[in-house]
Amino acid sequence: MFSKACEYGIRASTYIALKSLEGTRVSLKEIADKIDSPVAFTAKILQQLSKKQIIESVKGSLGGFQISQSNISQIKLAQIVYAIDGNNVYEGCGLGLKRCNSNEPCPVHDKFIQIRADLKEMLESTSLYDMTMGLEEGLTHLKR
């Protein structure tokens, strides 16, 4: 449902949030390593997230990426998805057909309406803070 860039964007934002809660900025290389993403691809994703003010890029020898601690619980996954993929996750055909609507539905059209509604609810109600819970204890993971 998400593009590869969006998947990496969610994982990168979650890792940056985790480290920001610890008071630490993280380098591009560290983020790419921790989310198992190519460095150049990660750089492009972080640039998009920075432009949309989801993450902050700090230059210099003590620089890196961070998210202000006060914003971590305010930033929802929906904002990250929108910054990278736009509204595509809420639109389009579940089978990838170019034309699919209630007048000319694909076989899963009606079922996808509820799936999209549930997905939208989850993305709009899940914060980056929620995503960091469990990472420190090893209950959840950002890479395998």
Side-chain angles (χ1 to χ4, degrees), residues 94-108:
L95 295 180
L97 302 179
K98 290 181 180 160
R99 286 183 36 198
C100 177
N101 55 48
S102 56
N103 294 331
E104 299 178 76
C106 74
V108 297

Side-chain angles (χ1 to χ4, degrees), residues 28-62:
L28 167 63
K29 197 170 186 175
E30 179 181 348
I31 295 164
D33 178 62
K34 295 297 183 181
I35 67 168
D36 202 20
S37 170
V39 173
F41 193 41
T42 304
K44 290 178 183 178
I45 295 164
L46 296 179
Q47 185 177 40
Q48 285 179 280
L49 294 171
S50 184
K51 281 183 183 177
K52 296 290 184 175
Q53 300 179 333
I54 293 169
I55 64 171
E56 299 169 45
S57 174
V58 179
K59 300 200 185 297
S61 61
L62 298 176

Side-chain angles (χ1 to χ4, degrees), residues 62-81:
L62 298 176
F65 293 91
Q66 67 183 20
I67 300 171
S68 105
Q69 289 187 9
S70 61
N71 287 343
I72 292 171
S73 62
Q74 304 302 315
I75 297 170
K76 306 296 184 194
L77 293 185
Q79 293 169 261
I80 299 166
V81 171

